[in-house]
Amino acid sequence: MAVDYAVIIIYLAGMLAMGWWGMRRAKSKSEFLVAGRRLGPGMYSGTMAAIVLGGASTIGGVGLGYQYGLSGAWMVFTIGLGLLALSVFFSARIARLKVYTVSEMLDLRYGGRAGIISGVVMWAYTLMLAVTSTIAYATIFDVLFDLNRTIAIILGGAIVVAYSTLGGMWSITLTDMVQFVVKTIGVLLLLLPIAVIKAGGFSEMKAKLPTEYFDPLGIGGETIFTYVLIYTFGMLIGQDIWQRVFTARSDKVARIGGTVAGTYCLVYAIAGAVIGTAAKVMYPTLPSADSAFATIVKDELPIGVRGLVLAAALAAALAAVMSTSSGALIACATVANNDIWSRLRGVVSRGGGGEEHDEVKGNRVFILIMGVAVILIAIALNDVVEALTVAYNLLVGGLLVPILGGLLWRRGTAAGALAAVSVGGLAVIGLMAAYGILANEPVYYGLLASLAVYVIVSLATKPTDAAVLAAWRERLAGRGAETEKPVDNETVTRA
C-alpha cells in the first residue's frame, strides 16, 4: 500500500500546486470565472467531460450497473445525450452572449427582471450538485483507507476549496485536464478490461447473473424517461455547464469540443455499467451498491496498477469533488456573488465589464464561504443519488421552461419567466415532500406547472420591449457586448 499512498499524495499535491499556478494567472474577473474565454478544442473537451462525469456519474454509475446490469448505464448515457444536444443546438449562441451566469442571460432576454429569483434556484442547484460530489469522498476513502466519513469529506473538500479559491477557473481547468487523462487511462483502459477478465468474461457474467442484467431496458422505461427529463434537459441549462461553455474561445470550439465530450460520456456510461455488472459477479452481497467501484479497485488491481487507478479513483471520485464539485462550487459562488449578493447591494454586472481586481477577491471569498457550506451539508447527508435528484429536480422544474422559452419563443415575457421559476420551483419542493425525493412525480408535475404558467402569463402580459429584444439579438449575434451596431433585418433572420 505504500506505493498506492505515495501516488495519491503526489496526485493531491499536484492539484494544490495547480491551484497556486492558477492564482498567479487569474488577475481579472474573466480570467478567474471563465479562464479568459480562451480554451481551445482539446482542453475544452477534456474539462467539459470532467465536469459532467463526477461522483454520481462514476460512483453512482457503477453502483447502478451493480444493481441493474447494463441498463444501469442510462443515467450517465442521458447526461451524454444532453451534452450533445447542448453542443449541437445551443452552445454557439450561449458562447456569443459573453455573460458569466444563466441569470444574466435571463436578464438580457427578459429585460432585467428575472435574475434574482432564477439566481436563487440556480444557486440551490449548484450547491446541491457540489454536495453530491463531496459525499462521494466518504465512500471512496471509507473503502480504500477505512477513514472516518466526516474526516474524508473534510479532507477532500478542503483540497478542492483550496485550489478553487486560489486560481478559480484556470486552476479548475488544469486539474480537470489531469483528472480527465488519469480517469481515461485508469477507468476505461485499465479498470474496465481488468474487471471483465476478473469476472470471467461476458460468458461467465451471463451465466452467473439473471438475464435482466443484460437487458438494455431492464432498469425500466419510466426510469429512463425520468433520466432523460432530468439529466438530458438539465445539461441544457445548468450554470456549471454554461460556465464551461463561456470558457470556449469561439463558437466552433464550443460546438465541436462539446460534441467530443458528449460522445466520451456515452462511452463512459457503458463502461461504468459493465464494471458494475462485473462487480456483482465478484461481490454479490456488498452492503451498498455505491461501494462497488472502490471495492473492485481495492481488491482486484495489482500494486502499481492499483496505484494509478487509485489516482483514477480519486480522479473519478475526486472528479466527484475535483471536477464536478469544483465546477459546481465556482458556479455556486458565481451565482451567489453576481446574481444574488450584488443585486441585493444594487450592483448588477453585465457580462462585458467589471474586470477589477477586487471582483476577483470577492469571488474568492464567496468560493470559500460556499465551500465550507458544501462540506457541512455533505456531512449531514448520506445518499449521492438522492442529493443529485434534489439538485436536478430544482433545476429542471424551476428553470428549464424560462431558459429554453427565452431562447426559442419570442413571445415569452419577464412576468411569464418569473411565474414559471416560482411556480415550478415551489411545485417541485412541495411534491418531493409529498411523494418522496426519488419519486418521478415532482419533476413531471413541476415541469408541467412551470410550462403552463409561462405560456399563460406570457400571453396575458405585454410583450417584451422591442429594444430589449433587439439588444438580445445583437448579443446572440456576438456583437452586443462590444459594439452598438444597429440590427438589420438580415442579421435578425440569421440570429
Side-chain angles (χ1 to χ4, degrees):
M1 291 296 291
V3 175
D4 300 333
Y5 288 140
V7 170
I8 293 166
I9 291 170
I10 293 171
Y11 180 82
L12 295 177
M15 299 300 100
L16 292 174
M18 290 180 187
W20 183 261
W21 183 91
M23 181 181 69
R24 301 182 63 183
R25 182 158 188 170
K27 301 298 185 182
S28 69
K29 180 179 179 180
S30 176
E31 295 283 350
F32 190 82
L33 294 182
V34 291
R37 308 187 196 273
R38 291 192 290 178
L39 297 191
M43 189 167 283
Y44 179 89
S45 298
T47 58
M48 183 62 87
I51 181 67
V52 300
L53 295 175
S57 299
T58 303
I59 310 300
V62 172
L64 288 172
Y66 185 87
Q67 286 181 281
Y68 301 103
L70 299 185
S71 66
W74 274 107
M75 184 183 77
V76 181
F77 201 85
T78 55
I79 289 173
L81 292 178
L83 188 53
L84 285 172
L86 173 72
S87 302
V88 172
F89 298 112
F90 298 107
S91 62
R93 282 186 282 180
I94 292 170
R96 288 195 295 264
L97 290 174
K98 302 296 183 191
V99 295
Y100 292 106
T101 69
V102 173
S103 295
E104 286 182 36
M105 167 265 168
L106 292 173
D107 276 354
L108 286 169
R109 169 60 181 82
Y110 294 112
R113 291 183 291 164
I116 192 163
I117 296 178
S118 62
V120 171
V121 175
M122 188 63 76
W123 171 80
Y125 156 72
T126 52
L127 183 70
M128 291 304 298
L129 186 62
V131 167
T132 66
S133 304
T134 307
I135 291 173
Y137 266 127
T139 301
I140 288 292
F141 285 135
D142 176 52
V143 174
L144 296 181
F145 311 125
D146 194 25
L147 193 63
N148 176 270
R149 179 180 186 276
T150 299
I151 294 175
I153 290 174
I154 293 173
L155 174 62
I159 293 170
V160 170
V161 171
Y163 77 70
S164 300
T165 302
L166 287 172
M169 187 60 80
W170 272 121
S171 296
I172 293 169
T173 296
L174 291 172
T175 54
D176 280 356
M177 281 304 299
V178 173
Q179 291 150 16
F180 172 75
V181 172
V182 173
K183 185 162 53 180
T184 299
I185 296 172
V187 175
L188 296 185
L189 301 184
L190 292 177
L191 184 57
L192 174 62
I194 289 173
V196 173
I197 292 170
K198 290 283 187 177
F202 282 103
S203 58
E204 186 70 13
M205 290 162 64
K206 287 184 177 180
K208 290 186 175 181
L209 294 174
T211 56
E212 56 263 28
Y213 264 71
F214 302 92
D215 180 359
L217 304 179
I219 199 170
E222 185 178 0
T223 299
I224 294 170
F225 177 74
T226 302
Y227 285 160
V228 171
L229 197 61
I230 293 177
Y231 299 121
T232 301
F233 285 109
M235 286 294 104
L236 301 179
I237 58 175
Q239 169 67 25
D240 54 320
I241 308 302
W242 278 39
Q243 199 156 345
R244 295 308 174 100
V245 175
F246 299 151
T247 66
R249 71 182 179 209
S250 69
D251 303 355
K252 186 176 181 181
V253 167
R255 185 171 57 253
I256 295 176
T259 301
V260 171
T263 304
Y264 179 91
C265 291
L266 302 183
V267 175
Y268 198 87
I270 296 171
V274 172
I275 292 169
T277 304
K280 184 66 175 179
V281 173
M282 292 182 280
Y283 312 100
T285 58
L286 286 177
S288 168
D290 282 347
S291 66
F293 176 77
T295 300
I296 198 171
V297 168
K298 180 182 179 182
D299 292 349
E300 301 301 331
L301 297 173
I303 294 175
V305 172
R306 184 169 62 192
L308 176 61
V309 180
L310 283 177
L314 292 173
L318 285 182
V321 183
M322 292 190 167
S323 294
T324 302
S325 185
S326 58
L329 181 59
I330 193 172
C332 179
T334 303
V335 171
N337 189 17
N338 290 267
D339 293 334
I340 300 175
W341 175 243
S342 63
R343 292 170 192 274
L344 294 176
R345 295 170 56 222
V347 181
V348 181
S349 175
R350 287 291 185 181
E355 302 296 320
E356 295 83 0
H357 292 253
D358 60 345
E359 292 198 56
V360 175
K361 181 179 179 181
N363 280 294
R364 281 198 175 106
V365 170
F366 269 87
I367 289 177
L368 182 60
I369 294 171
M370 293 300 107
V372 172
V374 164
I375 291 171
L376 293 176
I377 296 171
I379 291 171
L381 296 179
N382 287 303
D383 192 285
V384 173
V385 175
E386 280 194 4
L388 191 69
T389 301
V390 171
Y392 275 97
N393 280 353
L394 285 171
L395 179 69
V396 173
L399 290 177
L400 178 66
V401 169
I403 292 173
L404 292 189
L407 289 169
L408 301 173
W409 191 38
R410 177 188 175 95
R411 187 61 180 81
T413 66
L418 286 170
V421 173
S422 303
V423 172
L426 291 173
V428 164
I429 293 171
L431 290 167
M432 282 193 294
Y435 287 96
I437 291 175
L438 295 180
N440 295 325
E441 287 83 358
V443 71
Y444 292 168
Y445 299 142
L447 187 57
L448 286 174
S450 179
L451 177 61
V453 297
Y454 179 72
V455 172
I456 293 170
V457 175
S458 291
L459 293 176
T461 53
K462 184 179 177 181
T464 304
D465 186 86
V468 172
L469 288 177
W472 167 251
R473 294 191 194 96
E474 282 284 281
R475 207 63 169 262
L476 283 178
R479 297 190 304 270
E482 293 84 16
T483 68
E484 295 295 331
K485 294 179 181 179
V487 183
D488 56 39
N489 291 333
E490 183 181 359
T491 301
V492 172
T493 301
R494 286 201 304 270

